Amino acid sequence: MKYYIIAGEASGDLHGSNLIKAIQQEDQNADIRCWGGDLMQNAGGTLAKHYKEMAFMGFLEVVKNLNSIFKNISFCKDDIASFEPDVVIFIDFSGFNLRIAKWAYEQNFTTNYYISPQVWASRASRVQKIKKYINQMYVILPFEKDFYAQYNYDVSYVGHPLLDAIAVAEKIDFDSFVAKHKLSPNKKIIALLPGSRKQEVEKMLGIMLATADNYPKYQFVIAGAPSLDDTFYQKFTSTKDVHFVSNQTYPLLQNAHAALVTSGTATLETALFKVPQVVCYKGNWISYQIAKRIITLDYISLVNLIMDKEVVKELIQNNLNSKNLNHELNKILEDAHRQVVLKQYEILEQKLGGVGASKKAAQLIVKNL
């Protein structure tokens, strides 16, 4: 059968790649065309468009790039029509995907959604579009099934695919990691995960780096995103005694003692690697003013949302400053507080239901076809 998969960012590329592998196990004759990245392409998908061409973040950034977005939508529709898939599979990326889903459904293509848009966080009215235009929804967070049930929409909970990705990640010990990246073998690592888009990295990394001077006994290491060129980070590292590793987030987290993390999927990844963290977020002022008026959640990090309480500290907008960041970093470096956080991480992992999300989703997709 023919599968058309659309992911629009680095995390979608990761989960899309594992879904492609799982589909190939279920359907050995699978013909897969995709929007995604290098991981999806390497897994066996034929890449129609790279997510680097679509990574616009925030309301202002979207407005500035409307022309490119409309061109991408038009190209995507033409490409799907030409490929004639048995199913179109959407991975998160709701602003783009829900527009394509409406068109695809009206063209009588089967539509599946893997990794729900965060409709439980804002603009819940989108549920009505999902109910109307999506034939099957596969969710990855334990509370999402109950959320959709409130709208009389039956969805399938398959577990979280990050557990799959982490389970198969190559393991590298501390000595090997520091030797490979020319780090100090005598200093513990504080990982900096500033995000995967230029706009958010430029906004977040300077704030994170301002903290580094206060912790000479530790070494700070920036996780370079696969979506960005290494040269992009040079302006941040040239004036600071910090280190940089490219596309090595999982090995970095395996060996980190603590982390400063931009809100997003990385907060959950950091927790699953059992690294105490401070969650950071600061957006464009106008974008933030709009967002805080439509987002209805008590927390922004996946860790706290899943646990339904504050496990990790969130520093948002004006609260994200050097004073608060130093205070919270000091706390997660203290052994007593660390043990409390690590115990909560264990409970978090149990809530996610174990490995196998990609396989479960693939089995249901193929079975339903």
Side-chain angles (χ1 to χ4, degrees):
M1 287 182 286
K2 299 170 76 172
Y3 306 80
Y4 199 101
I5 306 176
I6 306 175
E9 51 199 355
S11 61
D13 183 35
L14 171 64
H15 302 322
S17 69
N18 287 325
L19 181 64
I20 287 173
K21 294 172 187 175
I23 288 174
Q24 290 168 335
Q25 291 178 351
E26 300 299 320
D27 179 2
Q28 295 183 359
N29 296 315
D31 183 5
I32 301 173
R33 187 167 176 83
C34 58
W35 290 46
D38 299 343
L39 295 176
M40 292 174 72
Q41 187 173 36
N42 293 338
T46 300
L47 199 62
K49 179 78 72 171
H50 202 289
Y51 68 78
K52 289 182 181 179
E53 300 178 48
M54 304 185 293
F56 308 121
M57 178 187 177
F59 297 98
L60 281 184
E61 291 76 16
V62 168
V63 171
K64 290 177 183 177
N65 291 280
L66 277 176
N67 189 47
S68 295
I69 292 170
F70 286 133
K71 285 182 178 179
N72 284 335
I73 289 172
S74 180
F75 170 74
C76 186
K77 291 176 180 178
D78 290 342
D79 200 52
I80 292 172
S82 176
F83 185 61
E84 296 183 337
D86 294 288
V87 61
V88 184
I89 304 168
F90 305 98
I91 299 180
D92 199 0
F93 198 48
S94 64
F96 185 88
N97 274 339
L98 285 178
R99 286 173 171 80
I100 300 299
K102 179 179 183 296
W103 171 86
Y105 182 85
E106 291 172 345
Q107 300 302 309
N108 295 317
F109 289 108
T110 298
T111 55
N112 284 191
Y113 221 121
Y114 174 52
I115 305 180
S116 168
Q118 294 181 353
V119 289
W120 34 266
S122 65
R123 293 175 289 159
S125 59
R126 290 177 293 171
V127 173
Q128 301 306 324
K129 290 183 179 180
I130 291 171
K131 285 182 64 175
K132 187 172 182 179
Y133 301 122
I134 300 299
N135 298 118
Q136 300 288 337
M137 169 70 79
Y138 310 105
V139 300
I140 65 171
L141 296 172
F143 58 79
E144 289 179 315
K145 187 172 178 66
D146 290 338
F147 170 82
Y148 277 111
Q150 298 174 29
Y151 296 87
N152 297 314
Y153 186 49
D154 187 28
V155 303
S156 300
Y157 172 59
V158 296
H160 206 292
L162 273 183
L163 294 170
D164 297 352
I166 290 172
V168 300
E170 181 183 1
K171 305 298 188 292
I172 179 169
D173 61 45
F174 182 82
D175 291 339
S176 300
F177 182 77
V178 298
K180 178 179 179 180
H181 297 288
K182 298 180 173 58
L183 305 175
S184 170
N186 302 315
K187 291 184 177 181
K188 293 179 179 178
I189 293 172
I190 296 177
L192 304 181
L193 279 64
S196 60
R197 303 179 182 93
K198 280 188 177 181
Q199 295 100 323
E200 65 182 351
V201 174
E202 288 175 337
K203 184 76 70 173
M204 303 301 306
L205 193 48
I207 300 171
M208 292 178 175
L209 289 175
T211 306
D213 293 337
N214 300 318
Y215 297 88
K217 294 182 180 180
Y218 295 87
Q219 52 190 335
F220 285 68
V221 183
I222 301 167
S227 56
L228 301 174
D229 294 331
D230 293 357
T231 54
F232 169 74
Y233 293 91
Q234 289 177 358
K235 59 185 174 184
F236 300 102
T237 58
S238 59
T239 59
K240 288 283 186 179
D241 184 22
V242 295
H243 304 274
F244 170 80
V245 296
S246 179
N247 200 16
Q248 291 284 299
T249 301
Y250 281 11
L252 174 59
L253 288 175
Q254 286 173 15
N255 293 285
H257 186 66
L260 307 180
V261 186
T262 295
S263 178
T265 303
T267 62
L268 186 54
E269 290 174 310
T270 302
L272 292 174
F273 276 105
K274 308 301 188 294
V275 182
Q277 64 185 297
V278 181
V279 176
C280 308
Y281 176 78
K282 179 172 284 192
N284 173 282
W285 185 85
I286 294 176
S287 297
Y288 175 72
Q289 293 302 317
I290 296 171
K292 76 175 186 178
R293 285 164 173 77
I294 63 174
I295 292 175
T296 57
L297 301 174
D298 294 328
Y299 308 106
I300 64 170
S301 69
L302 285 172
V303 176
N304 292 343
L305 285 168
I306 294 168
M307 294 294 287
D308 196 25
K309 64 179 181 179
E310 185 182 83
V311 173
V312 295
K313 184 64 178 182
E314 301 175 353
L315 296 178
I316 306 170
Q317 208 65 8
N318 293 334
N319 287 329
L320 179 57
N321 54 54
S322 296
K323 179 181 177 181
N324 289 342
L325 200 52
N326 284 325
H327 176 73
E328 296 302 330
L329 181 54
N330 284 334
K331 285 176 64 176
I332 62 173
L333 293 176
E334 296 171 356
D335 188 62
H337 186 72
R338 289 176 61 82
Q339 294 307 313
V340 172
V341 173
L342 293 175
K343 185 175 181 180
Q344 292 301 309
Y345 281 174
E346 295 290 344
I347 299 172
L348 169 72
E349 186 169 0
Q350 293 172 14
K351 279 179 173 283
L352 292 176
V355 297
S358 305
K359 182 177 181 179
K360 291 173 189 173
Q363 287 174 336
L364 288 170
I365 290 168
V366 174
K367 177 183 176 181
N368 288 330
L369 287 177

